[in-house]
Amino acid sequence: MRAGGIAPEPGSLRPFVGRPQPGWGNPNRWKLCGFSYERNRLNLCKKIGLVTRISMAFLSRRLGLLLTQVNRVIEQRHFSISGSCSAIQKLTRVRVVDNSTLGNTPYHRPPKCIHVYNKSGVGKVGDKILLAIKGEKKKAVIVGHRRPGPCMTPRFDSNNVVLIEENGNPTGTRIKIPIPLILRKKGGEFSKVLAIAQNLV
Amino acid sequence: MAASCGRFLERAGVRVLARASAARPGALCRCFSSSGLLRTNDGEPTKFQPPPKPVVTDQRKEVVESRFLSPEFIPPRGRTDPFKFYIERIDMKRRRKVLNIPEFYVGSILSVTTADPYANDKTSHFVGICIQRGGKGLGATFVLRNVIEGQGVEFCYELYNPRILEIKVLKLEKRLDDNLMYLRDALPEYSTFDVNMKPVPHSPNDEIPVNKLKVKMKPKPWTKRWERPKFNIQGIHFELPEKIMEKAQKWSKPWQEFDMLREYDTSKLEREIWKEMES
């Protein structure tokens, strides 16, 4: 288990390892199931776009029985759970990259994303997200993720995030980690974040 | 003195003209400078024979004509019309006339300057080690990796993208593998390269040096199970227990190297492409 209170080093974050958990609250449930029907259903849902909470619960309750049966079958199989290579969504552990006290003081739980302010639930560079840090909610801007983006844009080895206030001002005063230049394209709301950045990549 | 040297030279079969200065007693005998006074037996003046030139032998290795054909020129195996690759190659040739795309391999350290509308001075610069060369034709890409301020950054550049202003090879070398994606799970010191490093000179006649470095990895879990024979990685110093290495061999496919349907002989294609490029 992680030593108490130290923020995890980039690259040492362990992916979620465990048996598939029933219950609709766990977004990683679909990834852990080897059952192809589940994967197709998820893709279909993604294609439709909005999947409301109610419909998710309803579907999962209907399929709950099926799932438990599937789970019993899957228990015997060996899962390959590779490290996540995706952009930022709910429950992703992120790395706070500025020099704010909230981001740098150690805590026994890593900062996690709890909401992405986006039509799709997946956040890319420049999207605003809501983090749960040290038991409190804080808004942040994504400044880099592990998922490869379009060509000629940087791909980072850790999911980086800069804490901001409600009005868009960054909480910290300096950012040592390189920030992608794509943020300039997004608009004036990130000009203050870019102003405190020291390395632009 | 003049008489004695005259007698000496006469013995050698050469006539000597008596000089007026020799009459003075104690005077230096000048008749020893034979070049101006030598005459052949025929009586004609001899031509000045310059000393033989020193023979300079080039001890360097023979200049071997090794031509490098970039891998994106070789079309992939498939049922696509070869005409598509032919017109792509024409465009690639045109682009290469404008921008010099040097020869480089996976493992070489490159520095790339691109035109970026969002950068301060409209150009952005990146230095890194090439970890992968993918794509064929105009969509050929290469991925550069570097660690800046402790953060690993990777850039995927397209070779024929008009935004690329300059590609410079700082250090030309090969590694033991064709794909260095395992550097993501290796210790960061193996991916750190100085942004201001000086280019290492490399003469065009030398062979490409192979860096037989074996990289040390971070503790597991890794992004991929690099110990498996599917990846066939030679460049990692595995410190895993024997049991795990043996278990990884369970996924080996020893029949694949004998599979004839997987063979893709590109030598004929390469020769034709060379002829095309030179014309």
Coordinates of all heavy atoms in Angstrom, one line a residue, chain A residues 37-106:
Chain A
Y37 N -20.6 -8.3 -25.0 CA -21.8 -7.7 -25.1 C -21.8 -6.3 -24.3 O -22.3 -5.3 -24.8 CB -22.9 -8.6 -24.6 CG -24.3 -7.9 -24.5 CD1 -25.0 -7.7 -25.6 CD2 -24.8 -7.4 -23.3 CE1 -26.3 -7.0 -25.6 CE2 -26.0 -6.8 -23.2 CZ -26.7 -6.6 -24.3 OH -27.9 -6.0 -24.3
E38 N -21.1 -6.4 -23.2 CA -21.0 -5.2 -22.4 C -20.3 -4.1 -23.1 O -20.6 -2.9 -23.1 CB -20.3 -5.5 -21.1 CG -21.0 -6.5 -20.2 CD -22.4 -6.0 -19.8 OE1 -22.5 -4.8 -19.3 OE2 -23.3 -6.8 -19.9
R39 N -19.2 -4.5 -23.8 CA -18.3 -3.6 -24.5 C -19.1 -2.9 -25.6 O -19.1 -1.7 -25.9 CB -17.1 -4.3 -25.1 CG -15.9 -3.4 -24.9 CD -14.6 -4.1 -25.4 NE -14.2 -5.2 -24.6 CZ -13.8 -6.4 -25.0 NH1 -13.7 -6.7 -26.3 NH2 -13.4 -7.4 -24.2
N40 N -19.9 -3.8 -26.4 CA -20.7 -3.3 -27.5 C -21.8 -2.3 -27.0 O -22.0 -1.3 -27.6 CB -21.4 -4.4 -28.2 CG -20.4 -5.2 -29.0 OD1 -19.3 -4.7 -29.3 ND2 -20.7 -6.4 -29.4
R41 N -22.3 -2.7 -25.8 CA -23.4 -1.8 -25.2 C -22.8 -0.4 -24.9 O -23.4 0.6 -25.1 CB -24.0 -2.5 -24.0 CG -25.3 -1.9 -23.6 CD -25.7 -2.4 -22.2 NE -24.7 -1.9 -21.2 CZ -24.6 -0.7 -20.8 NH1 -25.5 0.3 -21.2 NH2 -23.7 -0.3 -19.9
L42 N -21.6 -0.5 -24.3 CA -20.9 0.8 -23.9 C -20.7 1.6 -25.1 O -20.9 2.8 -25.1 CB -19.7 0.5 -23.1 CG -18.9 1.7 -22.6 CD1 -19.7 2.4 -21.6 CD2 -17.6 1.2 -22.1
N43 N -20.2 1.0 -26.2 CA -19.9 1.7 -27.4 C -21.1 2.3 -28.0 O -21.1 3.5 -28.4 CB -19.3 0.8 -28.5 CG -17.8 0.4 -28.1 OD1 -17.2 1.1 -27.3 ND2 -17.4 -0.7 -28.7
L44 N -22.2 1.6 -27.9 CA -23.5 2.1 -28.4 C -23.9 3.3 -27.6 O -24.3 4.3 -28.2 CB -24.6 1.0 -28.3 CG -25.9 1.3 -28.9 CD1 -25.8 1.4 -30.4 CD2 -26.9 0.2 -28.6
C45 N -23.7 3.2 -26.3 CA -24.1 4.3 -25.4 C -23.3 5.5 -25.8 O -23.8 6.6 -25.9 CB -23.9 4.0 -23.9 SG -25.1 2.8 -23.3
K46 N -22.0 5.3 -26.0 CA -21.1 6.4 -26.4 C -21.6 7.1 -27.7 O -21.5 8.3 -27.8 CB -19.7 5.9 -26.5 CG -18.9 5.8 -25.2 CD -17.5 5.5 -25.5 CE -16.7 5.3 -24.2 NZ -15.5 4.6 -24.4
K47 N -22.0 6.2 -28.6 CA -22.4 6.7 -29.9 C -23.7 7.6 -29.7 O -23.8 8.6 -30.3 CB -22.7 5.6 -30.9 CG -21.5 5.0 -31.6 CD -21.8 3.9 -32.6 CE -20.6 3.1 -32.8 NZ -20.9 1.8 -33.3
I48 N -24.6 7.1 -28.9 CA -25.8 7.9 -28.6 C -25.4 9.2 -28.0 O -26.0 10.2 -28.3 CB -26.8 7.1 -27.7 CG1 -27.3 5.9 -28.5 CG2 -27.9 8.0 -27.3 CD1 -28.0 4.9 -27.6
G49 N -24.5 9.2 -27.2 CA -24.0 10.5 -26.6 C -24.4 10.5 -25.1 O -23.8 9.8 -24.3
L50 N -25.5 11.2 -24.7 CA -25.8 11.3 -23.3 C -26.4 10.0 -22.8 O -27.3 9.4 -23.4 CB -26.9 12.4 -23.1 CG -26.4 13.8 -23.4 CD1 -27.6 14.8 -23.5 CD2 -25.4 14.3 -22.3
V51 N -25.8 9.5 -21.7 CA -26.4 8.4 -21.0 C -26.8 8.9 -19.7 O -25.9 9.2 -18.9 CB -25.4 7.2 -21.0 CG1 -26.0 6.0 -20.2 CG2 -24.9 6.8 -22.3
T52 N -28.0 9.0 -19.4 CA -28.4 9.5 -18.1 C -28.2 8.5 -17.0 O -28.1 7.3 -17.3 CB -29.9 9.9 -18.1 OG1 -30.6 8.7 -18.5 CG2 -30.2 11.0 -19.2
R53 N -28.1 9.0 -15.8 CA -27.9 8.2 -14.6 C -29.0 7.1 -14.5 O -28.7 6.0 -14.2 CB -27.9 9.0 -13.4 CG -26.5 9.6 -13.0 CD -26.6 10.2 -11.7 NE -25.3 10.6 -11.3 CZ -25.1 11.1 -10.0 NH1 -26.1 11.3 -9.2 NH2 -23.9 11.5 -9.7
I54 N -30.2 7.6 -14.7 CA -31.4 6.7 -14.5 C -31.3 5.6 -15.4 O -31.5 4.4 -15.0 CB -32.7 7.5 -14.6 CG1 -32.7 8.7 -13.7 CG2 -33.9 6.6 -14.4 CD1 -33.6 9.8 -14.1
S55 N -31.1 5.9 -16.7 CA -31.1 4.8 -17.7 C -30.0 3.8 -17.4 O -30.1 2.6 -17.6 CB -31.0 5.4 -19.1 OG -29.7 6.0 -19.2
M56 N -28.8 4.3 -16.9 CA -27.7 3.5 -16.6 C -28.1 2.5 -15.5 O -27.8 1.3 -15.6 CB -26.5 4.3 -16.1 CG -25.6 4.9 -17.2 SD -24.4 3.7 -17.8 CE -23.1 3.9 -16.6
A57 N -28.7 3.1 -14.5 CA -29.1 2.2 -13.3 C -30.1 1.1 -13.8 O -30.0 0.0 -13.4 CB -29.7 3.1 -12.2
F58 N -31.0 1.6 -14.6 CA -32.1 0.7 -15.1 C -31.5 -0.5 -15.8 O -31.7 -1.7 -15.6 CB -33.1 1.5 -15.9 CG -34.1 0.6 -16.6 CD1 -35.1 0.1 -15.8 CD2 -34.1 0.4 -17.9 CE1 -36.1 -0.7 -16.4 CE2 -35.1 -0.3 -18.5 CZ -36.2 -0.9 -17.7
L59 N -30.6 -0.1 -16.8 CA -29.9 -1.1 -17.6 C -29.1 -2.1 -16.7 O -29.1 -3.3 -16.9 CB -29.0 -0.5 -18.6 CG -29.7 0.1 -19.8 CD1 -28.8 1.1 -20.5 CD2 -30.1 -0.9 -20.8
S60 N -28.4 -1.5 -15.8 CA -27.5 -2.3 -15.0 C -28.3 -3.2 -14.1 O -27.9 -4.4 -13.8 CB -26.6 -1.4 -14.2 OG -27.3 -0.6 -13.3
R61 N -29.5 -2.8 -13.6 CA -30.3 -3.6 -12.8 C -30.8 -4.8 -13.6 O -30.8 -5.9 -13.1 CB -31.5 -2.9 -12.2 CG -31.6 -3.1 -10.7 CD -32.8 -2.3 -10.1 NE -32.6 -0.9 -10.1 CZ -33.5 0.0 -10.5 NH1 -34.7 -0.5 -10.9 NH2 -33.3 1.3 -10.5
R62 N -31.2 -4.5 -14.8 CA -31.7 -5.6 -15.7 C -30.6 -6.6 -16.0 O -30.8 -7.8 -16.1 CB -32.2 -5.0 -17.0 CG -33.5 -4.3 -16.8 CD -34.3 -4.2 -18.1 NE -34.8 -5.5 -18.5 CZ -35.5 -5.6 -19.6 NH1 -35.8 -4.5 -20.4 NH2 -36.0 -6.8 -20.0
L63 N -29.4 -6.0 -16.2 CA -28.3 -6.9 -16.6 C -27.5 -7.4 -15.4 O -26.6 -8.2 -15.5 CB -27.3 -6.1 -17.5 CG -27.9 -5.7 -18.8 CD1 -27.0 -4.6 -19.4 CD2 -28.0 -6.8 -19.8
G64 N -28.0 -6.9 -14.2 CA -27.2 -7.3 -13.0 C -27.1 -8.8 -12.8 O -26.0 -9.3 -12.6
L65 N -28.2 -9.5 -13.0 CA -28.2 -10.9 -12.9 C -27.2 -11.6 -13.9 O -26.4 -12.4 -13.6 CB -29.6 -11.5 -13.2 CG -30.6 -11.4 -12.0 CD1 -32.0 -11.7 -12.5 CD2 -30.2 -12.3 -10.9
L66 N -27.4 -11.1 -15.1 CA -26.5 -11.6 -16.2 C -25.0 -11.4 -15.8 O -24.2 -12.2 -16.0 CB -26.8 -10.8 -17.5 CG -26.2 -11.4 -18.8 CD1 -26.7 -12.8 -19.1 CD2 -26.5 -10.5 -20.0
L67 N -24.8 -10.2 -15.2 CA -23.4 -9.8 -14.9 C -22.9 -10.8 -13.9 O -21.7 -11.2 -13.9 CB -23.4 -8.4 -14.3 CG -23.1 -7.3 -15.4 CD1 -23.1 -6.0 -14.7 CD2 -21.7 -7.5 -16.0
T68 N -23.7 -11.0 -12.8 CA -23.2 -11.9 -11.8 C -22.8 -13.3 -12.3 O -21.8 -13.9 -12.0 CB -24.2 -12.1 -10.6 OG1 -25.5 -12.3 -11.2 CG2 -24.3 -10.8 -9.8
Q69 N -23.7 -13.7 -13.3 CA -23.4 -15.0 -13.9 C -22.1 -14.9 -14.6 O -21.2 -15.7 -14.6 CB -24.5 -15.4 -14.8 CG -25.7 -16.0 -14.1 CD -26.9 -16.0 -15.0 OE1 -26.8 -15.7 -16.2 NE2 -28.1 -16.4 -14.5
V70 N -22.0 -13.8 -15.4 CA -20.8 -13.6 -16.2 C -19.6 -13.5 -15.3 O -18.5 -14.0 -15.6 CB -20.9 -12.3 -17.1 CG1 -19.6 -11.8 -17.6 CG2 -21.9 -12.6 -18.2
N71 N -19.8 -12.8 -14.2 CA -18.6 -12.6 -13.2 C -18.1 -13.9 -12.8 O -16.9 -14.1 -12.7 CB -19.1 -11.8 -12.0 CG -19.2 -10.3 -12.3 OD1 -18.8 -9.9 -13.4 ND2 -19.7 -9.5 -11.4
R72 N -19.1 -14.8 -12.4 CA -18.6 -16.1 -12.0 C -17.8 -16.9 -13.0 O -16.8 -17.5 -12.7 CB -19.9 -17.0 -11.6 CG -20.1 -17.0 -10.1 CD -21.3 -17.8 -9.7 NE -22.4 -16.9 -9.3 CZ -23.6 -17.0 -9.7 NH1 -23.9 -17.9 -10.5 NH2 -24.5 -16.1 -9.3
V73 N -18.2 -16.7 -14.3 CA -17.4 -17.3 -15.4 C -16.1 -16.6 -15.5 O -15.1 -17.3 -15.6 CB -18.2 -17.2 -16.7 CG1 -17.3 -17.6 -17.9 CG2 -19.5 -18.0 -16.6
I74 N -16.1 -15.3 -15.4 CA -14.9 -14.6 -15.6 C -13.8 -14.8 -14.5 O -12.6 -14.7 -14.8 CB -15.2 -13.1 -15.8 CG1 -15.9 -12.8 -17.1 CG2 -13.9 -12.2 -15.7 CD1 -16.5 -11.5 -17.3
E75 N -14.3 -15.1 -13.3 CA -13.4 -15.3 -12.2 C -12.2 -16.2 -12.6 O -11.1 -16.1 -12.0 CB -14.1 -15.8 -11.0 CG -14.5 -14.7 -10.0 CD -15.6 -15.2 -9.1 OE1 -15.4 -16.3 -8.5 OE2 -16.6 -14.5 -8.9
Q76 N -12.5 -17.2 -13.4 CA -11.5 -18.2 -13.7 C -10.5 -17.7 -14.8 O -9.4 -18.2 -14.9 CB -12.1 -19.5 -14.3 CG -12.8 -20.3 -13.2 CD -14.0 -21.0 -13.7 OE1 -14.0 -21.3 -14.9 NE2 -15.0 -21.3 -12.9
R77 N -10.9 -16.7 -15.5 CA -10.0 -16.2 -16.6 C -8.9 -15.2 -16.0 O -9.1 -14.7 -14.9 CB -10.8 -15.4 -17.6 CG -11.5 -16.3 -18.6 CD -11.9 -15.5 -19.8 NE -13.3 -15.6 -20.0 CZ -14.0 -14.7 -20.7 NH1 -13.4 -13.7 -21.2 NH2 -15.3 -14.8 -20.9
H78 N -7.9 -15.1 -16.8 CA -6.8 -14.1 -16.4 C -7.1 -12.8 -17.1 O -7.1 -12.8 -18.3 CB -5.4 -14.7 -16.7 CG -5.1 -15.9 -16.0 ND1 -4.7 -15.9 -14.7 CD2 -5.2 -17.2 -16.3 CE1 -4.5 -17.1 -14.3 NE2 -4.8 -17.9 -15.2
F79 N -7.2 -11.7 -16.4 CA -7.4 -10.4 -17.0 C -6.1 -9.8 -17.3 O -5.2 -9.9 -16.5 CB -8.2 -9.5 -16.1 CG -9.7 -9.7 -16.2 CD1 -10.3 -10.5 -15.2 CD2 -10.4 -9.2 -17.2 CE1 -11.7 -10.7 -15.3 CE2 -11.7 -9.4 -17.3 CZ -12.4 -10.1 -16.4
S80 N -6.0 -9.1 -18.4 CA -4.9 -8.3 -18.6 C -5.3 -6.8 -18.4 O -6.1 -6.3 -19.1 CB -4.3 -8.4 -20.0 OG -5.0 -7.6 -20.9
I81 N -5.0 -6.3 -17.2 CA -5.4 -4.9 -16.9 C -4.2 -4.0 -17.1 O -3.3 -3.9 -16.2 CB -5.9 -4.9 -15.5 CG1 -7.1 -5.8 -15.4 CG2 -6.4 -3.5 -15.1 CD1 -7.5 -6.1 -14.0
S82 N -4.1 -3.5 -18.3 CA -2.9 -2.6 -18.5 C -3.1 -1.3 -17.9 O -4.3 -0.9 -17.7 CB -2.6 -2.5 -20.0 OG -3.8 -2.2 -20.7
G83 N -2.1 -0.5 -17.7 CA -2.2 0.8 -17.2 C -3.0 1.7 -18.2 O -2.9 1.6 -19.4
S84 N -3.8 2.6 -17.6 CA -4.7 3.4 -18.4 C -3.9 4.3 -19.3 O -2.9 4.9 -18.9 CB -5.6 4.2 -17.5 OG -6.3 5.1 -18.2
C85 N -4.3 4.4 -20.6 CA -3.6 5.3 -21.5 C -4.7 6.3 -22.0 O -4.7 6.6 -23.2 CB -3.0 4.5 -22.6 SG -1.8 5.5 -23.6
S86 N -5.6 6.7 -21.2 CA -6.7 7.5 -21.7 C -6.6 8.9 -21.2 O -5.7 9.2 -20.4 CB -8.0 6.9 -21.2 OG -8.1 5.6 -21.5
A87 N -7.4 9.8 -21.7 CA -7.5 11.1 -21.2 C -8.2 11.1 -19.9 O -8.4 10.0 -19.3 CB -8.2 12.0 -22.2
I88 N -8.6 12.3 -19.4 CA -9.0 12.3 -18.0 C -10.5 12.2 -17.9 O -11.2 13.0 -18.6 CB -8.5 13.6 -17.4 CG1 -6.9 13.5 -17.4 CG2 -9.0 13.8 -16.0 CD1 -6.2 14.7 -17.0
Q89 N -11.0 11.4 -17.1 CA -12.5 11.2 -16.9 C -12.7 11.1 -15.4 O -11.8 11.3 -14.6 CB -13.0 10.0 -17.7 CG -12.3 8.8 -17.3 CD -12.8 7.6 -18.1 OE1 -13.4 7.8 -19.2 NE2 -12.7 6.4 -17.6
K90 N -13.9 10.8 -15.0 CA -14.3 10.7 -13.6 C -13.4 9.6 -12.9 O -13.2 8.5 -13.5 CB -15.7 10.3 -13.4 CG -16.6 11.5 -13.7 CD -18.1 11.2 -13.2 CE -19.0 12.3 -13.6 NZ -20.3 12.1 -13.1
L91 N -13.0 9.9 -11.8 CA -12.2 9.0 -10.9 C -10.7 8.8 -11.4 O -10.1 7.9 -11.0 CB -12.8 7.6 -10.7 CG -14.1 7.6 -9.8 CD1 -14.4 6.3 -9.3 CD2 -14.0 8.6 -8.6
T92 N -10.3 9.6 -12.4 CA -8.8 9.5 -12.7 C -8.0 10.2 -11.7 O -8.4 11.3 -11.2 CB -8.5 10.1 -14.1 OG1 -9.6 10.9 -14.5 CG2 -8.1 9.2 -15.1
R93 N -6.9 9.5 -11.3 CA -6.0 10.2 -10.4 C -5.1 11.1 -11.2 O -4.6 10.7 -12.2 CB -5.2 9.1 -9.7 CG -6.0 8.3 -8.7 CD -5.3 7.0 -8.3 NE -5.2 6.2 -9.5 CZ -4.8 4.9 -9.4 NH1 -4.4 4.4 -8.3 NH2 -4.8 4.2 -10.5
V94 N -5.0 12.3 -10.8 CA -4.3 13.3 -11.5 C -3.1 13.8 -10.7 O -3.0 13.6 -9.5 CB -5.1 14.5 -11.9 CG1 -6.2 14.1 -12.9 CG2 -5.8 15.2 -10.7
R95 N -2.2 14.6 -11.4 CA -1.1 15.1 -10.7 C -1.2 16.6 -10.8 O -1.2 17.2 -11.9 CB 0.2 14.6 -11.5 CG 1.5 15.2 -10.9 CD 2.6 14.8 -11.8 NE 3.8 15.5 -11.4 CZ 4.9 15.6 -12.2 NH1 4.9 15.1 -13.4 NH2 6.0 16.2 -11.7
V96 N -1.2 17.3 -9.7 CA -1.2 18.7 -9.7 C 0.2 19.3 -9.9 O 1.1 18.9 -9.2 CB -1.8 19.2 -8.3 CG1 -1.7 20.7 -8.3 CG2 -3.2 18.7 -8.1
V97 N 0.3 20.2 -10.8 CA 1.6 20.5 -11.4 C 2.1 21.9 -11.0 O 3.2 22.3 -11.2 CB 1.4 20.4 -12.9 CG1 2.0 21.5 -13.7 CG2 1.9 19.0 -13.4
D98 N 1.2 22.7 -10.3 CA 1.6 24.1 -9.9 C 2.2 24.0 -8.5 O 2.2 23.0 -7.9 CB 0.5 25.1 -10.1 CG -0.7 24.7 -9.3 OD1 -0.6 23.9 -8.4 OD2 -1.8 25.2 -9.7
N99 N 2.6 25.2 -8.0 CA 3.2 25.2 -6.7 C 2.2 25.7 -5.6 O 2.6 26.3 -4.6 CB 4.4 26.1 -6.7 CG 4.1 27.6 -6.9 OD1 2.9 27.9 -7.3 ND2 5.0 28.5 -6.7
S100 N 0.9 25.4 -5.8 CA -0.1 25.8 -4.8 C 0.1 24.8 -3.6 O 0.5 23.7 -3.7 CB -1.5 25.7 -5.3 OG -1.7 24.4 -5.9
T101 N -0.3 25.3 -2.4 CA -0.2 24.5 -1.1 C -1.2 23.4 -1.2 O -0.8 22.3 -0.8 CB -0.5 25.4 0.1 OG1 -1.5 26.3 -0.2 CG2 0.7 26.1 0.6
L102 N -2.4 23.6 -1.7 CA -3.4 22.6 -1.8 C -2.9 21.4 -2.6 O -3.1 20.2 -2.3 CB -4.7 23.1 -2.4 CG -5.9 22.3 -2.2 CD1 -6.2 22.0 -0.7 CD2 -7.1 23.0 -2.8
G103 N -2.2 21.7 -3.7 CA -1.7 20.7 -4.6 C -0.5 19.9 -4.1 O -0.3 18.8 -4.5
N104 N 0.3 20.6 -3.3 CA 1.6 20.0 -2.9 C 1.6 19.4 -1.5 O 2.6 18.7 -1.2 CB 2.7 21.0 -3.1 CG 2.9 21.3 -4.6 OD1 2.0 21.6 -5.3 ND2 4.1 21.2 -5.0
T105 N 0.7 19.7 -0.7 CA 0.8 19.1 0.7 C 0.4 17.7 0.6 O -0.6 17.3 -0.1 CB -0.2 19.8 1.7 OG1 -1.4 20.2 1.0 CG2 0.5 21.1 2.2
P106 N 1.0 16.8 1.3 CA 0.7 15.4 1.2 C -0.6 15.0 1.9 O -1.0 15.7 2.8 CB 1.9 14.7 1.9 CG 2.5 15.7 2.8 CD 2.2 17.1 2.2

